[in-house]
């Protein structure tokens, strides 16, 4: 398996972002990403997908969309749609019809910023996901790089502070979203967690202050989705796109907050007598399974089984746990950064059956 780093969920001038696809590709190359997935609101932009190159460096730019019912008041239920063979925005008014349409179009889909909060000071309403009765979706955006700031904007001054010092924003996924994910997993569902940036690179004007807040290059160094693909990228866009979406659909990925330190190199594996698996996979509990995590740098590793923390290793770079009981096992890694203990890595689960 080969690890690649993808930044996903971002906007261009085709919706409410300030940059172009080319700007995004250049920012992605500058920050060392292997791929990006651009998701403008309710439009599937044609003719821009493929490899972009600067000198000897390249990045694969893929195009999906973020679909929601624009007539709904209040705004809710934003769905990230990737790899569909057509524009699905006409199905936006009913979330289940939309999800069925994504599956019919060969795509994968994720509930975006599922537990978004309102920010009255900035006239921002909550755009959380409300339609939890739906089924057939691939997963959820566990950590969104823009939504979290709304929990911190107690005054306009806070807004100015975080616009100038965005490194202080990200702490961890919303606790409600982590809880919801565990509940869905325990109910027997396979729910893939991804991390999105929701990058817009917007121009901000507040009196005399003018600044591009959260440029693409900033987002691309923060919350990424690290995906394990069976072969190295080939440089052929259709081949590589197929590998990436098969791995994403299977949950062979983790959410990495790469700003405190790169999370490249993290692994979470299960070893049984006859079989070895990675995150996203299923393994039999018969005769026991050894779960192993390895980090690029020491930090606090937490092993979660069916929503409960069952073991903690402090200041560790690796851990092993003998699992004899069936359950949904996942790993969280936390580390200190800018005065707070912050989430660093959130793995997808290994399903021990
Ligand atoms: Zn959204
Ligand atoms: Zn968005």
């Amino acid at each position: 398996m080969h690890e690649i780093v993808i930044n996903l969920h971002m906007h261009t001038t085709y919706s409410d972002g300030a940059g172009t696809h080319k700007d995004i590709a250049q920012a992605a190359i500058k920050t060392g990403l292997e791929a990006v997935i651009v998701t403008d609101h309710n439009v599937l932009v044609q003719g821009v997908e493929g490899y972009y190159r600067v000198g000897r460096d390249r990045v694969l730019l893929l195009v999906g969309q973020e679909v929601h019912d624009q007539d709904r008041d209040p705004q809710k239920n934003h769905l990230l749609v990737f790899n569909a063979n057509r524009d699905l925005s006409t199905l936006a008014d009913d979330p289940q019809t939309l999800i069925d349409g994504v599956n019919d179009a060969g795509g994968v889909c994720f509930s975006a910023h599922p537990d978004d909060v309102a920010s009255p000071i900035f006239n921002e309403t909550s755009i959380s996901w409300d339609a939890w009765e739906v089924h057939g979706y691939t997963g959820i955006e566990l950590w969104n790089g823009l939504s979290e700031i709304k929990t911190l904007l107690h005054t306009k001054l806070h807004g100015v502070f975080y616009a100038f010092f965005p490194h202080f924003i990200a702490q961890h996924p919303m606790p409600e979203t982590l809880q919801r994910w565990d509940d869905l997993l325990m109910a027997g569902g396979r729910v893939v967690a991804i991390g999105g940036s929701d990058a817009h690179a917007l121009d901000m004007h507040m009196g005399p202050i003018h600044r591009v807040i959260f440029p693409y290059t900033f987002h691309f160094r923060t919350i990424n989705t690290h995906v394990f693909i069976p072969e190295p990228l080939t440089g052929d866009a259709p081949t590589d796109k197929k590998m990436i979406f098969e791995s994403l659909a299977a949950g062979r990925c983790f959410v990495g907050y790469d700003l405190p330190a790169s999370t490249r190199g993290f692994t979470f594996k299960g070893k049984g007598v006859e079989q070895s698996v990675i995150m996203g996979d299923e393994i039999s509990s018969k005769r026991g399974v050894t779960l192993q995590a390895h980090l690029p740098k020491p930090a606090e590793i937490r092993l979660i089984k069916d929503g409960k923390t069952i073991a903690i290793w402090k200041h560790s770079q690796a851990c092993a746990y003998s699992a004899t009981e069936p359950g949904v096992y996942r790993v969280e890694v936390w580390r200190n950064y800018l005065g707070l203990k912050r989430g660093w890595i959130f793995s997808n689960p290994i399903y021990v059956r």
Side-chain angles (χ1 to χ4, degrees):
M1 284 287 174
H2 300 263
E3 179 185 1
I4 57 167
V5 185
I6 299 183
N7 195 279
L8 57 86
H9 186 174
M10 66 200 69
H11 301 275
T12 73
T13 50
Y14 279 87
S15 58
D16 54 355
T20 63
H21 291 85
K22 202 175 161 194
D23 293 335
I24 284 176
Q26 285 171 347
I29 287 172
K30 199 171 170 186
T31 48
L33 298 174
E34 278 88 357
V36 286
I37 309 175
V38 184
T39 51
D40 277 305
H41 293 289
N42 296 304
V43 56
L44 186 63
V45 181
Q46 304 290 337
V48 291
E49 197 166 81
Y51 271 99
Y52 288 68
R53 290 180 167 80
V54 174
R56 299 171 71 175
D57 300 320
R58 69 179 187 198
V59 69
L60 177 59
L61 184 145
L62 298 169
V63 179
Q65 58 184 155
E66 183 176 14
V67 180
H68 55 95
D69 181 357
Q70 297 174 82
D71 298 328
R72 196 185 190 287
D73 187 23
Q75 274 294 301
K76 295 283 176 189
N77 304 330
H78 288 198
L79 190 73
L80 296 172
V81 177
F82 310 145
N83 199 36
N85 59 17
R86 58 192 145 92
D87 180 0
L88 291 158
S89 56
T90 53
L91 304 179
D93 58 353
D94 178 61
Q96 188 61 61
T97 308
L98 172 61
I99 291 167
D100 293 344
V102 173
N103 290 321
D104 187 51
V108 292
C109 60
F110 298 84
S111 138
H113 40 73
D115 294 286
D116 188 67
V117 300
S119 172
I121 285 181
F122 287 87
N123 295 320
E124 294 276 348
T125 57
S126 155
I127 42 171
S128 53
W129 184 273
D130 278 6
W132 289 107
E133 70 283 2
V134 295
H135 55 86
Y137 56 96
T138 314
I140 59 171
E141 186 184 42
L142 184 72
W143 201 351
N144 174 295
L146 196 62
S147 194
E148 192 174 2
I149 191 178
K150 290 166 79 179
T151 65
L152 305 169
L153 297 177
H154 310 298
T155 65
K156 288 219 162 171
L157 205 59
H158 284 89
V160 175
F161 174 80
Y162 289 113
F164 279 87
F165 302 103
H167 293 58
F168 286 86
I169 297 170
Q171 296 179 22
H172 48 70
M174 302 281 182
E176 299 86 344
T177 310
L178 279 166
Q179 179 69 54
R180 191 185 302 282
W181 185 35
D182 284 328
D183 290 346
L184 290 165
L185 292 169
M186 277 190 288
R190 285 184 71 113
V191 181
V192 177
I194 55 171
S197 63
D198 218 346
H200 289 74
L202 290 180
D203 272 335
M204 184 193 76
H205 296 269
M206 254 177 90
I209 301 168
H210 169 230
R211 189 174 170 82
V212 174
I213 47 168
F214 321 139
Y216 295 117
T217 47
F218 171 74
H219 275 296
F220 294 175
R221 292 186 175 106
T222 55
I223 298 165
N224 290 308
T225 301
H226 293 234
V227 182
F228 295 95
I229 52 175
E231 304 290 337
L233 291 172
T234 63
D236 175 61
T239 306
D240 295 345
K241 177 179 175 179
K242 189 165 177 286
M243 274 198 294
I244 288 170
F245 286 120
E246 280 174 3
S247 285
L248 261 189
R252 294 198 187 104
C253 56
F254 68 89
V255 180
Y257 177 40
D258 287 311
L259 196 62
S262 170
T263 61
R264 270 186 205 263
F266 168 74
T267 56
F268 177 41
K269 295 178 180 171
K271 287 195 171 123
V273 178
E274 289 161 5
Q275 205 189 352
S276 287
V277 297
I278 68 161
M279 58 193 95
D281 293 336
E282 221 175 274
I283 186 166
S284 165
S285 64
K286 273 187 198 159
R287 294 203 273 164
V289 176
T290 304
L291 298 171
Q292 296 176 327
H294 187 271
L295 313 182
K297 281 190 172 147
E300 180 179 312
I301 310 172
R302 301 177 188 173
L303 180 66
I304 321 281
K305 173 183 180 268
D306 297 332
K308 291 199 174 60
T309 303
I310 55 165
I312 296 178
W313 294 264
K314 297 203 174 203
H315 311 292
S316 297
Q317 201 164 351
C319 65
Y321 180 89
S322 178
T324 49
E325 287 175 29
V328 182
Y329 294 80
R330 62 180 186 82
V331 166
E332 293 180 1
V333 186
W334 294 71
R335 63 180 296 141
N336 291 318
Y337 178 60
L338 298 177
L340 285 178
K341 188 176 275 187
R342 297 173 193 258
W344 190 37
I345 293 168
F346 294 82
S347 83
N348 268 286
I350 290 177
Y351 301 85
V352 179
R353 302 297 196 200

